[in-house]
Short mmCIF file of all heavy atoms in Angstrom, two decimals:
data_model
loop_
_atom_site.label_atom_id
_atom_site.label_comp_id
_atom_site.label_asym_id
_atom_site.label_seq_id
_atom_site.Cartn_x
_atom_site.Cartn_y
_atom_site.Cartn_z
N ALA A 1 -37.30 75.80 -207.82
CA ALA A 1 -38.46 75.45 -208.65
C ALA A 1 -39.35 76.67 -208.81
O ALA A 1 -39.36 77.56 -207.98
CB ALA A 1 -39.24 74.32 -207.99
N ALA A 2 -40.07 76.70 -209.91
CA ALA A 2 -40.90 77.86 -210.23
C ALA A 2 -41.97 78.10 -209.17
O ALA A 2 -42.32 79.23 -208.91
CB ALA A 2 -41.55 77.72 -211.59
N TYR A 3 -42.49 77.03 -208.59
CA TYR A 3 -43.54 77.26 -207.58
C TYR A 3 -43.02 78.04 -206.40
O TYR A 3 -43.80 78.64 -205.68
CB TYR A 3 -44.18 75.94 -207.14
CG TYR A 3 -43.23 74.91 -206.60
CD1 TYR A 3 -42.69 75.04 -205.32
CD2 TYR A 3 -42.90 73.81 -207.37
CE1 TYR A 3 -41.81 74.08 -204.85
CE2 TYR A 3 -42.02 72.87 -206.87
CZ TYR A 3 -41.48 73.00 -205.63
OH TYR A 3 -40.62 72.07 -205.14
N ALA A 4 -41.74 78.07 -206.20
CA ALA A 4 -41.15 78.84 -205.09
C ALA A 4 -41.47 80.33 -205.23
O ALA A 4 -41.56 81.04 -204.23
CB ALA A 4 -39.67 78.63 -205.00
N ALA A 5 -41.65 80.80 -206.44
CA ALA A 5 -41.96 82.21 -206.65
C ALA A 5 -43.34 82.58 -206.08
O ALA A 5 -43.63 83.74 -205.88
CB ALA A 5 -41.94 82.53 -208.15
N PHE A 6 -44.18 81.56 -205.86
CA PHE A 6 -45.51 81.81 -205.38
C PHE A 6 -45.71 81.44 -203.91
O PHE A 6 -46.81 81.30 -203.47
CB PHE A 6 -46.51 81.03 -206.24
CG PHE A 6 -46.44 81.41 -207.69
CD1 PHE A 6 -45.78 80.61 -208.60
CD2 PHE A 6 -47.03 82.58 -208.14
CE1 PHE A 6 -45.71 80.97 -209.93
CE2 PHE A 6 -46.95 82.95 -209.47
CZ PHE A 6 -46.29 82.14 -210.38
N THR A 7 -44.61 81.27 -203.19
CA THR A 7 -44.72 80.77 -201.83
C THR A 7 -44.78 81.86 -200.77
O THR A 7 -44.79 81.54 -199.59
CB THR A 7 -43.56 79.82 -201.49
OG1 THR A 7 -42.34 80.53 -201.65
CG2 THR A 7 -43.59 78.58 -202.38
N HIS A 8 -44.83 83.12 -201.16
CA HIS A 8 -44.87 84.17 -200.17
C HIS A 8 -46.18 84.10 -199.37
O HIS A 8 -47.24 83.94 -199.93
CB HIS A 8 -44.72 85.53 -200.85
CG HIS A 8 -45.83 85.84 -201.78
ND1 HIS A 8 -45.99 85.23 -203.00
CD2 HIS A 8 -46.87 86.68 -201.67
CE1 HIS A 8 -47.06 85.70 -203.61
NE2 HIS A 8 -47.61 86.58 -202.81
N GLN A 9 -46.05 84.15 -198.07
CA GLN A 9 -47.21 84.24 -197.16
C GLN A 9 -48.24 83.11 -197.38
O GLN A 9 -49.43 83.37 -197.34
CB GLN A 9 -47.89 85.59 -197.32
CG GLN A 9 -47.01 86.78 -197.09
CD GLN A 9 -46.51 86.88 -195.65
OE1 GLN A 9 -47.25 86.59 -194.73
NE2 GLN A 9 -45.26 87.27 -195.47
N VAL A 10 -47.81 81.90 -197.66
CA VAL A 10 -48.74 80.78 -197.77
C VAL A 10 -48.40 79.75 -196.69
O VAL A 10 -47.26 79.61 -196.29
CB VAL A 10 -48.72 80.11 -199.15
CG1 VAL A 10 -49.20 81.07 -200.23
CG2 VAL A 10 -47.36 79.56 -199.49
N ASP A 11 -49.43 79.05 -196.25
CA ASP A 11 -49.19 78.03 -195.23
C ASP A 11 -48.66 76.75 -195.88
O ASP A 11 -48.63 76.62 -197.10
CB ASP A 11 -50.44 77.78 -194.39
CG ASP A 11 -51.62 77.30 -195.22
OD1 ASP A 11 -51.42 76.72 -196.30
OD2 ASP A 11 -52.76 77.51 -194.78
N GLU A 12 -48.28 75.81 -195.07
CA GLU A 12 -47.68 74.57 -195.56
C GLU A 12 -48.65 73.79 -196.44
O GLU A 12 -48.25 73.21 -197.44
CB GLU A 12 -47.23 73.70 -194.38
CG GLU A 12 -46.46 72.49 -194.79
CD GLU A 12 -45.14 72.80 -195.51
OE1 GLU A 12 -44.53 73.84 -195.26
OE2 GLU A 12 -44.73 71.96 -196.34
N GLU A 13 -49.93 73.79 -196.12
CA GLU A 13 -50.93 73.07 -196.91
C GLU A 13 -51.01 73.66 -198.32
O GLU A 13 -51.05 72.92 -199.30
CB GLU A 13 -52.29 73.13 -196.23
CG GLU A 13 -53.38 72.36 -196.94
CD GLU A 13 -54.70 72.41 -196.20
OE1 GLU A 13 -54.68 72.28 -194.95
OE2 GLU A 13 -55.73 72.58 -196.87
N GLU A 14 -51.04 74.96 -198.40
CA GLU A 14 -51.11 75.62 -199.71
C GLU A 14 -49.82 75.37 -200.49
O GLU A 14 -49.85 75.13 -201.72
CB GLU A 14 -51.34 77.12 -199.55
CG GLU A 14 -51.50 77.88 -200.84
CD GLU A 14 -52.75 77.54 -201.63
OE1 GLU A 14 -53.64 76.89 -201.10
OE2 GLU A 14 -52.82 77.95 -202.80
N LEU A 15 -48.70 75.37 -199.84
CA LEU A 15 -47.44 75.08 -200.50
C LEU A 15 -47.43 73.67 -201.07
O LEU A 15 -46.99 73.46 -202.22
CB LEU A 15 -46.29 75.28 -199.51
CG LEU A 15 -44.88 75.06 -200.04
CD1 LEU A 15 -44.58 75.97 -201.21
CD2 LEU A 15 -43.86 75.26 -198.93
N GLN A 16 -47.93 72.71 -200.32
CA GLN A 16 -48.00 71.35 -200.80
C GLN A 16 -48.91 71.24 -202.01
O GLN A 16 -48.62 70.51 -202.96
CB GLN A 16 -48.49 70.40 -199.69
CG GLN A 16 -47.51 70.23 -198.55
CD GLN A 16 -46.17 69.68 -199.00
OE1 GLN A 16 -46.11 68.84 -199.88
NE2 GLN A 16 -45.09 70.15 -198.39
N ARG A 17 -50.02 71.98 -202.00
CA ARG A 17 -50.94 71.98 -203.15
C ARG A 17 -50.25 72.55 -204.37
O ARG A 17 -50.35 72.00 -205.48
CB ARG A 17 -52.20 72.77 -202.83
CG ARG A 17 -53.29 72.61 -203.92
CD ARG A 17 -54.50 73.48 -203.62
NE ARG A 17 -54.28 74.88 -203.99
CZ ARG A 17 -54.25 75.34 -205.23
NH1 ARG A 17 -54.39 74.55 -206.26
NH2 ARG A 17 -54.05 76.63 -205.46
N CYS A 18 -49.50 73.61 -204.18
CA CYS A 18 -48.78 74.24 -205.31
C CYS A 18 -47.75 73.29 -205.89
O CYS A 18 -47.62 73.18 -207.10
CB CYS A 18 -48.10 75.53 -204.85
SG CYS A 18 -49.21 76.88 -204.51
N ARG A 19 -47.03 72.60 -205.02
CA ARG A 19 -46.06 71.62 -205.48
C ARG A 19 -46.72 70.50 -206.28
O ARG A 19 -46.21 70.07 -207.31
CB ARG A 19 -45.28 71.03 -204.32
CG ARG A 19 -44.28 72.00 -203.73
CD ARG A 19 -43.54 71.36 -202.59
NE ARG A 19 -42.55 72.30 -202.07
CZ ARG A 19 -42.22 72.38 -200.81
NH1 ARG A 19 -42.77 71.59 -199.92
NH2 ARG A 19 -41.31 73.25 -200.41
N ALA A 20 -47.86 70.03 -205.78
CA ALA A 20 -48.57 68.95 -206.45
C ALA A 20 -49.03 69.38 -207.85
O ALA A 20 -48.91 68.64 -208.82
CB ALA A 20 -49.75 68.47 -205.62
N VAL A 21 -49.57 70.60 -207.93
CA VAL A 21 -50.01 71.11 -209.22
C VAL A 21 -48.84 71.27 -210.16
O VAL A 21 -48.90 70.90 -211.34
CB VAL A 21 -50.77 72.46 -209.06
CG1 VAL A 21 -50.98 73.15 -210.40
CG2 VAL A 21 -52.08 72.24 -208.34
N TYR A 22 -47.72 71.79 -209.67
CA TYR A 22 -46.53 71.97 -210.49
C TYR A 22 -46.10 70.64 -211.09
O TYR A 22 -45.77 70.56 -212.26
CB TYR A 22 -45.41 72.59 -209.65
CG TYR A 22 -44.14 72.83 -210.42
CD1 TYR A 22 -44.01 73.94 -211.24
CD2 TYR A 22 -43.06 71.93 -210.31
CE1 TYR A 22 -42.84 74.17 -211.96
CE2 TYR A 22 -41.90 72.16 -211.03
CZ TYR A 22 -41.79 73.26 -211.84
OH TYR A 22 -40.64 73.48 -212.54
N GLU A 23 -46.13 69.59 -210.29
CA GLU A 23 -45.70 68.28 -210.75
C GLU A 23 -46.64 67.72 -211.83
O GLU A 23 -46.21 66.91 -212.64
CB GLU A 23 -45.62 67.28 -209.58
CG GLU A 23 -44.54 67.65 -208.58
CD GLU A 23 -43.15 67.71 -209.17
OE1 GLU A 23 -42.81 66.87 -210.02
OE2 GLU A 23 -42.39 68.62 -208.76
N LEU A 24 -47.89 68.19 -211.86
CA LEU A 24 -48.84 67.73 -212.87
C LEU A 24 -48.66 68.41 -214.23
O LEU A 24 -49.13 67.90 -215.24
CB LEU A 24 -50.29 67.96 -212.39
CG LEU A 24 -50.76 67.12 -211.23
CD1 LEU A 24 -52.14 67.59 -210.78
CD2 LEU A 24 -50.76 65.65 -211.58
N LEU A 25 -48.00 69.55 -214.22
CA LEU A 25 -47.81 70.29 -215.47
C LEU A 25 -46.85 69.56 -216.40
O LEU A 25 -45.91 68.89 -215.95
CB LEU A 25 -47.27 71.69 -215.18
CG LEU A 25 -48.15 72.62 -214.37
CD1 LEU A 25 -47.41 73.93 -214.09
CD2 LEU A 25 -49.48 72.89 -215.07
N SER A 26 -47.09 69.72 -217.69
CA SER A 26 -46.17 69.15 -218.67
C SER A 26 -44.84 69.88 -218.58
O SER A 26 -44.76 71.03 -218.06
CB SER A 26 -46.75 69.32 -220.08
OG SER A 26 -46.74 70.69 -220.46
N PRO A 27 -43.78 69.28 -219.10
CA PRO A 27 -42.47 69.97 -219.09
C PRO A 27 -42.54 71.37 -219.76
O PRO A 27 -41.94 72.31 -219.25
CB PRO A 27 -41.55 69.02 -219.84
CG PRO A 27 -42.15 67.68 -219.59
CD PRO A 27 -43.64 67.92 -219.59
N ARG A 28 -43.28 71.47 -220.84
CA ARG A 28 -43.38 72.78 -221.51
C ARG A 28 -44.10 73.80 -220.64
O ARG A 28 -43.67 74.96 -220.58
CB ARG A 28 -44.09 72.62 -222.88
CG ARG A 28 -44.17 73.90 -223.69
CD ARG A 28 -42.81 74.46 -224.01
NE ARG A 28 -42.94 75.52 -225.00
CZ ARG A 28 -41.99 76.35 -225.31
NH1 ARG A 28 -40.81 76.26 -224.74
NH2 ARG A 28 -42.16 77.29 -226.21
N LEU A 29 -45.18 73.40 -219.99
CA LEU A 29 -45.89 74.31 -219.13
C LEU A 29 -45.05 74.71 -217.94
O LEU A 29 -45.10 75.85 -217.48
CB LEU A 29 -47.24 73.75 -218.69
CG LEU A 29 -48.32 73.65 -219.76
CD1 LEU A 29 -49.60 73.07 -219.18
CD2 LEU A 29 -48.59 75.01 -220.39
N ARG A 30 -44.22 73.79 -217.44
CA ARG A 30 -43.31 74.14 -216.36
C ARG A 30 -42.31 75.18 -216.83
O ARG A 30 -41.98 76.12 -216.11
CB ARG A 30 -42.55 72.91 -215.86
CG ARG A 30 -43.39 71.95 -215.09
CD ARG A 30 -42.54 70.78 -214.65
NE ARG A 30 -43.38 69.70 -214.19
CZ ARG A 30 -42.89 68.54 -213.77
NH1 ARG A 30 -41.59 68.32 -213.77
NH2 ARG A 30 -43.70 67.60 -213.36
N GLU A 31 -41.82 75.01 -218.04
CA GLU A 31 -40.86 75.97 -218.61
C GLU A 31 -41.51 77.35 -218.72
O GLU A 31 -40.90 78.36 -218.36
CB GLU A 31 -40.41 75.49 -219.98
CG GLU A 31 -39.46 76.45 -220.70
CD GLU A 31 -39.10 75.98 -222.09
OE1 GLU A 31 -39.72 75.04 -222.64
OE2 GLU A 31 -38.16 76.58 -222.64
N VAL A 32 -42.74 77.38 -219.20
CA VAL A 32 -43.47 78.65 -219.31
C VAL A 32 -43.68 79.26 -217.94
O VAL A 32 -43.48 80.47 -217.74
CB VAL A 32 -44.82 78.43 -220.06
CG1 VAL A 32 -45.67 79.69 -220.01
CG2 VAL A 32 -44.58 78.03 -221.51
N LEU A 33 -44.08 78.46 -216.97
CA LEU A 33 -44.30 78.96 -215.62
C LEU A 33 -43.03 79.53 -215.01
O LEU A 33 -43.04 80.61 -214.41
CB LEU A 33 -44.87 77.86 -214.72
CG LEU A 33 -45.20 78.26 -213.28
CD1 LEU A 33 -46.18 79.42 -213.24
CD2 LEU A 33 -45.73 77.05 -212.52
N ARG A 34 -41.92 78.85 -215.20
CA ARG A 34 -40.64 79.36 -214.70
C ARG A 34 -40.32 80.69 -215.35
O ARG A 34 -39.85 81.63 -214.69
CB ARG A 34 -39.53 78.36 -214.96
CG ARG A 34 -39.54 77.17 -214.03
CD ARG A 34 -38.27 76.33 -214.14
NE ARG A 34 -38.06 75.81 -215.47
CZ ARG A 34 -38.51 74.62 -215.90
NH1 ARG A 34 -39.21 73.83 -215.09
NH2 ARG A 34 -38.26 74.22 -217.14
N ALA A 35 -40.58 80.82 -216.65
CA ALA A 35 -40.31 82.08 -217.35
C ALA A 35 -41.23 83.19 -216.84
O ALA A 35 -40.79 84.33 -216.64
CB ALA A 35 -40.47 81.89 -218.85
N ILE A 36 -42.49 82.86 -216.61
CA ILE A 36 -43.43 83.85 -216.09
C ILE A 36 -42.97 84.31 -214.70
O ILE A 36 -43.05 85.49 -214.37
CB ILE A 36 -44.86 83.25 -216.01
CG1 ILE A 36 -45.43 83.06 -217.42
CG2 ILE A 36 -45.77 84.14 -215.19
CD1 ILE A 36 -46.72 82.24 -217.45
N ALA A 37 -42.48 83.38 -213.89
CA ALA A 37 -42.03 83.72 -212.55
C ALA A 37 -40.86 84.70 -212.54
O ALA A 37 -40.65 85.39 -211.56
CB ALA A 37 -41.66 82.43 -211.80
N GLN A 38 -40.15 84.75 -213.66
CA GLN A 38 -39.03 85.70 -213.77
C GLN A 38 -39.52 87.11 -214.09
O GLN A 38 -38.74 88.04 -214.18
CB GLN A 38 -38.03 85.22 -214.80
CG GLN A 38 -37.33 83.96 -214.39
CD GLN A 38 -36.43 83.40 -215.45
OE1 GLN A 38 -36.30 83.97 -216.54
NE2 GLN A 38 -35.79 82.29 -215.15
N ASP A 39 -40.83 87.25 -214.30
CA ASP A 39 -41.48 88.54 -214.46
C ASP A 39 -40.99 89.33 -215.68
O ASP A 39 -40.68 90.52 -215.58
CB ASP A 39 -41.29 89.37 -213.18
CG ASP A 39 -42.31 90.51 -213.09
OD1 ASP A 39 -43.41 90.37 -213.63
OD2 ASP A 39 -41.97 91.54 -212.50
N HIS A 40 -40.94 88.67 -216.80
CA HIS A 40 -40.60 89.36 -218.06
C HIS A 40 -41.84 90.00 -218.66
O HIS A 40 -42.95 89.58 -218.40
CB HIS A 40 -40.01 88.38 -219.06
CG HIS A 40 -38.68 87.82 -218.68
ND1 HIS A 40 -37.56 88.61 -218.59
CD2 HIS A 40 -38.29 86.59 -218.36
CE1 HIS A 40 -36.53 87.85 -218.24
NE2 HIS A 40 -36.95 86.62 -218.08
N GLU A 41 -41.62 91.00 -219.48
CA GLU A 41 -42.73 91.57 -220.27
C GLU A 41 -43.29 90.46 -221.15
O GLU A 41 -42.53 89.64 -221.67
CB GLU A 41 -42.21 92.70 -221.17
CG GLU A 41 -41.63 93.87 -220.41
CD GLU A 41 -42.72 94.81 -219.97
OE1 GLU A 41 -43.76 94.88 -220.64
OE2 GLU A 41 -42.51 95.47 -218.95
N PRO A 42 -44.61 90.45 -221.36
CA PRO A 42 -45.20 89.37 -222.18
C PRO A 42 -44.58 89.22 -223.58
O PRO A 42 -44.35 88.09 -224.02
CB PRO A 42 -46.68 89.78 -222.28
CG PRO A 42 -46.92 90.56 -221.03
CD PRO A 42 -45.64 91.31 -220.78
N GLN A 43 -44.29 90.33 -224.23
CA GLN A 43 -43.68 90.26 -225.57
C GLN A 43 -42.30 89.64 -225.52
O GLN A 43 -41.93 88.81 -226.35
CB GLN A 43 -43.63 91.62 -226.22
CG GLN A 43 -45.00 92.17 -226.53
CD GLN A 43 -44.97 93.64 -226.91
OE1 GLN A 43 -44.02 94.34 -226.53
NE2 GLN A 43 -45.98 94.09 -227.60
N LEU A 44 -41.51 90.03 -224.52
CA LEU A 44 -40.17 89.47 -224.36
C LEU A 44 -40.25 88.00 -223.96
O LEU A 44 -39.44 87.18 -224.42
CB LEU A 44 -39.38 90.24 -223.30
CG LEU A 44 -39.05 91.68 -223.63
CD1 LEU A 44 -38.35 92.35 -222.45
CD2 LEU A 44 -38.17 91.76 -224.86
N LEU A 45 -41.20 87.67 -223.12
CA LEU A 45 -41.40 86.30 -222.69
C LEU A 45 -41.73 85.41 -223.88
O LEU A 45 -41.12 84.33 -224.06
CB LEU A 45 -42.51 86.24 -221.66
CG LEU A 45 -42.84 84.90 -221.06
CD1 LEU A 45 -41.63 84.27 -220.38
CD2 LEU A 45 -43.97 85.06 -220.05
N ALA A 46 -42.66 85.84 -224.72
CA ALA A 46 -43.02 85.06 -225.89
C ALA A 46 -41.83 84.88 -226.82
O ALA A 46 -41.57 83.78 -227.34
CB ALA A 46 -44.19 85.73 -226.63
N ALA A 47 -41.08 85.96 -227.02
CA ALA A 47 -39.90 85.87 -227.89
C ALA A 47 -38.86 84.92 -227.28
O ALA A 47 -38.28 84.10 -228.01
CB ALA A 47 -39.29 87.25 -228.09
N HIS A 48 -38.65 84.99 -225.98
CA HIS A 48 -37.70 84.11 -225.29
C HIS A 48 -38.09 82.64 -225.48
O HIS A 48 -37.23 81.77 -225.68
CB HIS A 48 -37.61 84.46 -223.83
CG HIS A 48 -36.84 83.51 -222.99
ND1 HIS A 48 -35.46 83.43 -223.02
CD2 HIS A 48 -37.27 82.55 -222.13
CE1 HIS A 48 -35.09 82.46 -222.21
NE2 HIS A 48 -36.15 81.92 -221.67
N LEU A 49 -39.38 82.37 -225.39
CA LEU A 49 -39.89 80.99 -225.51
C LEU A 49 -40.07 80.57 -226.97
O LEU A 49 -40.44 79.43 -227.25
CB LEU A 49 -41.20 80.85 -224.75
CG LEU A 49 -41.11 81.02 -223.25
CD1 LEU A 49 -42.50 81.16 -222.64
CD2 LEU A 49 -40.38 79.84 -222.62
N LYS A 50 -39.85 81.53 -227.88
CA LYS A 50 -40.02 81.29 -229.33
C LYS A 50 -41.45 80.83 -229.68
O LYS A 50 -41.66 79.89 -230.41
CB LYS A 50 -39.00 80.26 -229.81
CG LYS A 50 -37.56 80.74 -229.66
CD LYS A 50 -36.58 79.71 -230.16
CE LYS A 50 -35.19 80.23 -230.17
NZ LYS A 50 -34.48 80.26 -228.94
N ILE A 51 -42.41 81.60 -229.10
CA ILE A 51 -43.81 81.36 -229.35
C ILE A 51 -44.50 82.68 -229.60
O ILE A 51 -43.97 83.74 -229.30
CB ILE A 51 -44.49 80.62 -228.18
CG1 ILE A 51 -44.36 81.41 -226.89
CG2 ILE A 51 -43.95 79.21 -228.02
CD1 ILE A 51 -45.09 80.82 -225.69
N SER A 52 -45.72 82.62 -230.12
CA SER A 52 -46.49 83.86 -230.35
C SER A 52 -47.13 84.29 -229.03
O SER A 52 -47.23 83.51 -228.07
CB SER A 52 -47.59 83.60 -231.39
OG SER A 52 -48.59 82.75 -230.84
N GLN A 53 -47.56 85.53 -229.02
CA GLN A 53 -48.25 86.05 -227.83
C GLN A 53 -49.53 85.24 -227.59
O GLN A 53 -49.87 84.94 -226.44
CB GLN A 53 -48.59 87.52 -228.05
CG GLN A 53 -49.27 88.19 -226.87
CD GLN A 53 -48.35 88.34 -225.67
OE1 GLN A 53 -47.22 88.74 -225.82
NE2 GLN A 53 -48.85 88.02 -224.50
N ARG A 54 -50.20 84.86 -228.65
CA ARG A 54 -51.43 84.05 -228.54
C ARG A 54 -51.14 82.70 -227.87
O ARG A 54 -51.86 82.25 -226.98
CB ARG A 54 -52.05 83.87 -229.91
CG ARG A 54 -53.21 82.91 -230.00
CD ARG A 54 -54.40 83.50 -229.25
NE ARG A 54 -55.45 82.49 -229.18
CZ ARG A 54 -56.66 82.67 -229.64
NH1 ARG A 54 -57.00 83.78 -230.24
NH2 ARG A 54 -57.56 81.71 -229.52
N THR A 55 -50.05 82.06 -228.29
CA THR A 55 -49.67 80.76 -227.70
C THR A 55 -49.33 80.95 -226.23
O THR A 55 -49.69 80.13 -225.39
CB THR A 55 -48.50 80.13 -228.48
OG1 THR A 55 -48.91 79.94 -229.83
CG2 THR A 55 -48.10 78.82 -227.87
N LEU A 56 -48.63 82.03 -225.91
CA LEU A 56 -48.31 82.32 -224.52
C LEU A 56 -49.60 82.45 -223.70
O LEU A 56 -49.70 81.90 -222.61
CB LEU A 56 -47.48 83.60 -224.41
CG LEU A 56 -47.15 84.06 -223.00
CD1 LEU A 56 -46.34 83.01 -222.23
CD2 LEU A 56 -46.41 85.38 -223.03
N ASP A 57 -50.58 83.17 -224.24
CA ASP A 57 -51.86 83.32 -223.55
C ASP A 57 -52.54 81.96 -223.35
O ASP A 57 -53.12 81.69 -222.31
CB ASP A 57 -52.77 84.26 -224.33
CG ASP A 57 -52.30 85.71 -224.30
OD1 ASP A 57 -51.47 86.04 -223.42
OD2 ASP A 57 -52.73 86.46 -225.17
N ASP A 58 -52.45 81.10 -224.37
CA ASP A 58 -53.03 79.76 -224.26
C ASP A 58 -52.33 78.94 -223.17
O ASP A 58 -52.96 78.24 -222.39
CB ASP A 58 -52.94 79.01 -225.59
CG ASP A 58 -53.89 79.58 -226.63
OD1 ASP A 58 -54.83 80.34 -226.29
OD2 ASP A 58 -53.67 79.27 -227.83
N TYR A 59 -50.99 79.06 -223.10
CA TYR A 59 -50.25 78.35 -222.06
C TYR A 59 -50.64 78.88 -220.68
O TYR A 59 -50.81 78.10 -219.75
CB TYR A 59 -48.75 78.52 -222.28
CG TYR A 59 -48.13 77.63 -223.33
CD1 TYR A 59 -47.07 78.06 -224.09
CD2 TYR A 59 -48.61 76.33 -223.57
CE1 TYR A 59 -46.49 77.26 -225.05
CE2 TYR A 59 -48.05 75.54 -224.52
CZ TYR A 59 -46.97 75.98 -225.26
OH TYR A 59 -46.40 75.18 -226.20
N LYS A 60 -50.75 80.19 -220.55
CA LYS A 60 -51.15 80.76 -219.27
C LYS A 60 -52.52 80.24 -218.85
O LYS A 60 -52.73 79.88 -217.70
CB LYS A 60 -51.19 82.28 -219.34
CG LYS A 60 -49.85 82.95 -219.36
CD LYS A 60 -50.06 84.47 -219.44
CE LYS A 60 -48.80 85.22 -219.51
NZ LYS A 60 -49.05 86.68 -219.62
N SER A 61 -53.44 80.19 -219.79
CA SER A 61 -54.79 79.68 -219.49
C SER A 61 -54.72 78.24 -219.04
O SER A 61 -55.43 77.84 -218.10
CB SER A 61 -55.69 79.79 -220.72
OG SER A 61 -55.92 81.14 -221.05
N ALA A 62 -53.88 77.43 -219.69
CA ALA A 62 -53.75 76.02 -219.30
C ALA A 62 -53.16 75.90 -217.89
O ALA A 62 -53.63 75.06 -217.10
CB ALA A 62 -52.85 75.28 -220.30
N ILE A 63 -52.21 76.75 -217.57
CA ILE A 63 -51.61 76.71 -216.22
C ILE A 63 -52.66 77.13 -215.18
O ILE A 63 -52.82 76.46 -214.16
CB ILE A 63 -50.37 77.64 -216.15
CG1 ILE A 63 -49.24 77.06 -217.00
CG2 ILE A 63 -49.93 77.85 -214.70
CD1 ILE A 63 -48.07 78.01 -217.25
N PHE A 64 -53.38 78.20 -215.46
CA PHE A 64 -54.40 78.67 -214.52
C PHE A 64 -55.52 77.61 -214.34
O PHE A 64 -56.00 77.41 -213.23
CB PHE A 64 -55.01 79.99 -214.96
CG PHE A 64 -54.05 81.15 -214.84
CD1 PHE A 64 -54.08 82.17 -215.77
CD2 PHE A 64 -53.12 81.22 -213.85
CE1 PHE A 64 -53.22 83.25 -215.69
CE2 PHE A 64 -52.24 82.28 -213.73
CZ PHE A 64 -52.29 83.30 -214.67
N ALA A 65 -55.89 76.95 -215.43
CA ALA A 65 -56.91 75.90 -215.33
C ALA A 65 -56.41 74.75 -214.44
O ALA A 65 -57.18 74.23 -213.63
CB ALA A 65 -57.27 75.40 -216.72
N GLU A 66 -55.18 74.37 -214.62
CA GLU A 66 -54.60 73.29 -213.83
C GLU A 66 -54.55 73.70 -212.35
O GLU A 66 -54.75 72.87 -211.47
CB GLU A 66 -53.19 73.00 -214.34
CG GLU A 66 -52.65 71.66 -214.14
CD GLU A 66 -53.47 70.49 -214.59
OE1 GLU A 66 -53.83 70.37 -215.77
OE2 GLU A 66 -53.77 69.65 -213.72
N CYS A 67 -54.29 74.99 -212.10
CA CYS A 67 -54.21 75.50 -210.72
C CYS A 67 -55.58 75.85 -210.18
O CYS A 67 -55.72 76.22 -209.01
CB CYS A 67 -53.33 76.75 -210.67
SG CYS A 67 -51.63 76.44 -211.08
N ARG A 68 -56.58 75.81 -211.02
CA ARG A 68 -57.96 76.19 -210.65
C ARG A 68 -58.00 77.63 -210.15
O ARG A 68 -58.62 77.92 -209.12
CB ARG A 68 -58.52 75.22 -209.64
CG ARG A 68 -58.71 73.84 -210.18
CD ARG A 68 -59.21 72.89 -209.10
NE ARG A 68 -59.37 71.56 -209.65
CZ ARG A 68 -58.41 70.64 -209.68
NH1 ARG A 68 -57.22 70.91 -209.22
NH2 ARG A 68 -58.64 69.43 -210.19
N VAL A 69 -57.33 78.50 -210.90
CA VAL A 69 -57.29 79.93 -210.54
C VAL A 69 -58.33 80.65 -211.39
O VAL A 69 -58.47 80.42 -212.54
CB VAL A 69 -55.90 80.52 -210.79
CG1 VAL A 69 -55.91 82.03 -210.57
CG2 VAL A 69 -54.90 79.86 -209.89
#
């Protein structure tokens, strides 16, 4: 799962919170998060997802808002 990419040096409580947030994301936001976790260049990432850079930024903002980051 994409949240696994963010599990370095976190305690079990934080891991559970990450899993819970991941489950709340829409399928599209999960897809975007998984792609982000693969660490692609933003332009390549947007092209891979067949979206504009602006839409990618909007998706990132939605993910961060859901995560309260």
Side-chain angles (χ1 to χ4, degrees):
Y3 57 75
F6 300 101
T7 61
H8 63 287
Q9 304 295 322
V10 295
D11 60 25
E12 187 62 30
E13 183 178 317
E14 183 67 13
L15 181 58
Q16 292 300 324
R17 189 184 78 75
C18 289
R19 286 181 178 145
V21 169
Y22 181 80
E23 295 301 321
L24 292 174
L25 297 176
S26 70
R28 183 60 168 166
L29 289 180
R30 289 180 194 179
E31 177 184 12
V32 171
L33 182 57
R34 284 191 300 269
I36 291 169
Q38 293 175 0
D39 199 29
H40 292 294
E41 297 278 332
Q43 294 168 336
L44 295 175
L45 181 58
H48 171 75
L49 295 168
K50 297 181 172 80
I51 58 176
S52 70
Q53 182 68 44
R54 172 68 188 238
T55 300
L56 176 60
D57 291 341
D58 290 344
Y59 281 147
K60 285 180 182 179
S61 294
I63 291 167
F64 291 145
E66 207 52 59
C67 295
R68 294 177 180 88
V69 174

